[in-house]
């Protein structure tokens, strides 16, 4: 016997329709490259998204074709996003911070039909377009006055949509249709395309709205620092419209001062970003003796969150840090570090070790740890193994069949992370499988070392990599970028780590560098660090362990 409830396809256009009808007056605030702030509402953005749909249809864009964006977070980007997916086109978010060759590879692989780009990306497009013949049209997300000079033909977004009707049919297709395409950072090999469906993103949006996930509400003002080109901005492009949270989209200005200004001027209550963003904001606050206004809580993810950020935000600014873990292939949110009842009852100090873990699993998903042969390992908080995940918001393969079959015989996807899971269900990342330091048959977590080292008052950023060692295979070395104007000795960092880590984890060297490079999604770029450190030799014969 079948249930008798209405059978409505879970297509994403319904979420934006809902926002326009029921939260129509809630604001969407954007800042452009010149720093100007503009305002619209869900109802306003929805009407313009319909105009985008009509403009796309007028160009002949059909269901399944890839409409790319090359843009920072802003209202026009959001309108273009829903305008494309509403008619069944696939919104492909290109990351403007990647190298042009990488973007060209990705756009070719995706066979992008057209690109909607921020005007600041014009020079990048000059290099890119000759390499990507599939792109037939370029629209700049600006008005006529803001058009950049280019050697190629392009139109401005405002005149492109101006004559289009604000009525357009959306949806009416299978909920399993592809909605979005996003390529993984490609830290090894070529980037691979993750193809989200309407249904999977719809379910992901509902999952992340739980109180024990992102807990967004109609009372929130969300500063969306995490880029829309990175895994659907952690799904917030879908979840914020569901509940009518005010959206603040900071554009390209992601420095501490600019973000801080928006936090105060817009009354931001919630934000989502990678740890390095908070390091910049905290450095700015320290310098200016500022406060964080109405900010209540932040989700930090994308990379492990250092303890110093959790404590400073809590102790000095009264802001609660919740860590989230996920990846492009997991839509992305999968675990969140909210406290269980018994942990919430503990004093803050005793809660911190759990905040440092990547958290507990959202419903609909399943996790397991295995050894290299695929045998399950215990959830005892000590045994670490390959982290594998399963569920309707997890990739089942890559676009174009790249990478072949990615699921094991039980249907789990191998995340490439090495983790533990404790008896309460808290998952903790030990490392990326390729970053973990294998020393004398045992493993050292580069993440743990970095997070402790960056707590040194003079450290701005820290990175740990393994270097080849004649006796122990690999030994860790610590790279430190000091805060501006600071100086320090190697000894200062060794002394700082002493007593906080196992003796054999102690880095064999401390190297002070001018810059710890960040990758295109704001995470420490270990691949580049390893390239830069090629030819480095340990300073002694290495009997350190
Ligand atoms: P991406 O697909 O670019 O979002 O990268 C996903 C990877 O980032 C994961 O597989 C993890 O290695 C890492 N990552 C994401 N969130 C966290 C976190 N909270 N702590 C540690 N690593 C994280």
């Amino acid at each position: 016997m079948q249930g008798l409830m209405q059978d409505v396809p879970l297509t994403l256009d319904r979420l934006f329709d809902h926002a326009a009808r029921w939260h129509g007056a809630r604001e969407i605030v954007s800042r452009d490259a010149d720093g100007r702030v503009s305002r619209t509402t869900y109802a306003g953005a929805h009407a313009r998204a319909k105009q985008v749909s009509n403009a796309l249809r007028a160009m002949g864009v059909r269901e399944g074709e890839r409409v790319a964006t090359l843009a920072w977070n802003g209202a026009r980007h959001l309108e273009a996003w829903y305008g494309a997916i509403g008619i069944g086109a696939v919104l492909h978010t290109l990351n403007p911070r990647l190298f042009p060759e990488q973007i060209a590879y990705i756009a070719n692989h995706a066979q992008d039909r057209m690109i909607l780009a921020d005007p600041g990306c014009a020079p990048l497009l000059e290099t890119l377009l000759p390499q990507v013949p599939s792109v037939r049209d370029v629209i700049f997300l600006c008005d006529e006055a803001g058009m950049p000079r280019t050697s190629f033909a392009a139109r401005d977004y405002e005149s492109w949509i101006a004559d289009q009707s604000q009525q357009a049919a959306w949806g009416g297709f299978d909920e399993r249709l592809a909605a979005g395409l996003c390529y993984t950072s490609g830290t090894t090999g070529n980037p691979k395309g993750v193809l989200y469906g309407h249904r999977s993103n719809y379910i992901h949006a509902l999952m992340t709205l739980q109180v024990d996930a992102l807990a967004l509400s109609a009372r929130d003002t969300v500063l969306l620092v995490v880029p829309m080109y990175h895994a659907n901005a952690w799904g917030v492009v879908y979840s914020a419209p569901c509940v009518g949270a005010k959206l603040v989209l900071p554009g390209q200005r992601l420095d501490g001062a600019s973000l801080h200004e928006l936090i105060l001027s817009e009354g931001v209550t919630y934000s989502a970003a990678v740890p390095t963003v908070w390091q910049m904001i905290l450095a700015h606050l320290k310098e200016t003796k500022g406060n964080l206004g109405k900010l209540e809580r932040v989700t930090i993810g994308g990379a492990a969150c250092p303890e110093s950020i959790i404590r400073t935000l809590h102790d000095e600014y009264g802001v609660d840090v919740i860590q989230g873990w996920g990846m492009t292939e997991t839509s992305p949110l999968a675990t969140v570090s909210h406290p269980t009842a018994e942990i919430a009852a503990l004093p803050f100090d005793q809660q911190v070790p759990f905040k440092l873990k990547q958290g507990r699993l959202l419903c609909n998903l399943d996790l397991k740890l295995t050894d290299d042969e695929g045998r399950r390992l215990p959830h005892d908080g000590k045994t670490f193994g390959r982290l594998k995940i399963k569920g309707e918001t997890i990739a089942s393969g890559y676009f174009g069949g790249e990478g072949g079959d990615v699921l094991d015989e039980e249907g789990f996807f191998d995340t490439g992370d090495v983790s533990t899971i404790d008896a309460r269900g808290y998952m903790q990342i030990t490392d990326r499988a390729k970053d973990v330091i294998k020393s004398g048959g045992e493993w050292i977590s580069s993440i743990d070392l970095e997070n402790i080292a960056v707590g040194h008052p003079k450290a701005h950023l820290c990175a740990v990599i393994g270097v080849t060692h004649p006796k122990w295979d690999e030994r860790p070395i610590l790279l430190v970028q000091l805060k501006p104007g600071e100086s320090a000795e190697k000894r200062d960092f060794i002394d700082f780590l002493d007593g906080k880590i196992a003796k054999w984890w102690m880095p064999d060297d401390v190297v002070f560098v001018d810059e710890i490079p960040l990758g295109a999604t704001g995470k420490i770029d270990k691949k580049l660090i390893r390239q830069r450190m090629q030819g480095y030799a340990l300073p002694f014969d290495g009997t350190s362990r």
Side-chain angles (χ1 to χ4, degrees), residues 68 130 147 180 204 210 217 251 258 263 273 276 292 304 307 324 335 338 343 351 393 435 445 484 499 517 527 533:
M147 276 297 275
H204 180 263
Q210 299 167 65
S217 82
S258 302
I263 290 173
T276 43
L292 284 171
E307 184 168 345
T335 70
H338 280 287
I343 293 165
Q351 291 186 31
T393 55
D435 291 337
S445 160
K527 195 175 163 191
M533 295 302 284

Side-chain angles (χ1 to χ4, degrees), residues 185 230 301-304 323-328 358 417 429 432 523:
S185 336
H230 188 206
Q323 187 160 183
W325 168 85
M327 58 198 309
T328 309
Q358 278 63 32
D417 286 330
I429 305 262
R432 287 296 289 164
K523 305 181 195 189

Side-chain angles (χ1 to χ4, degrees), residues 394-413:
I394 311 301
S396 65
Y398 291 102
F399 186 59
E402 295 295 324
D405 190 4
V406 297
L407 305 184
D408 72 8
E409 60 288 353
E410 292 182 323
F412 281 76
F413 173 87

Side-chain angles (χ1 to χ4, degrees), residues 199-201 203-204 207 331 363-365 390-395:
R199 173 188 149 87
S200 69
N201 275 345
I203 292 173
H204 180 263
M207 281 161 59
S331 293
C363 69
N364 304 13
L365 302 177
K390 180 177 179 175
E392 57 268 52
T393 55
I394 311 301

Side-chain angles (χ1 to χ4, degrees), residues 22 55 81 85 118 129 133 152 162 247 275 285 295 298 305 311 332 417:
W22 300 101
W81 186 302
I85 64 173
D118 273 351
L129 290 177
F152 53 87
L247 270 179
L285 286 175
L295 191 67
V298 295
C305 183
R311 287 197 184 271
D417 286 330

Side-chain angles (χ1 to χ4, degrees), residues 467 469 472 475-478 494 504-510 536 538-540 542-545:
V467 293
H469 188 282
W472 303 114
R475 289 295 302 155
I477 60 164
L478 170 67
I494 299 293
W504 62 277
W505 278 40
M506 188 59 84
D508 277 18
D509 196 7
V510 180
Y536 166 89
L538 285 169
F540 48 89
T543 39
S544 55
R545 228 191 91 157

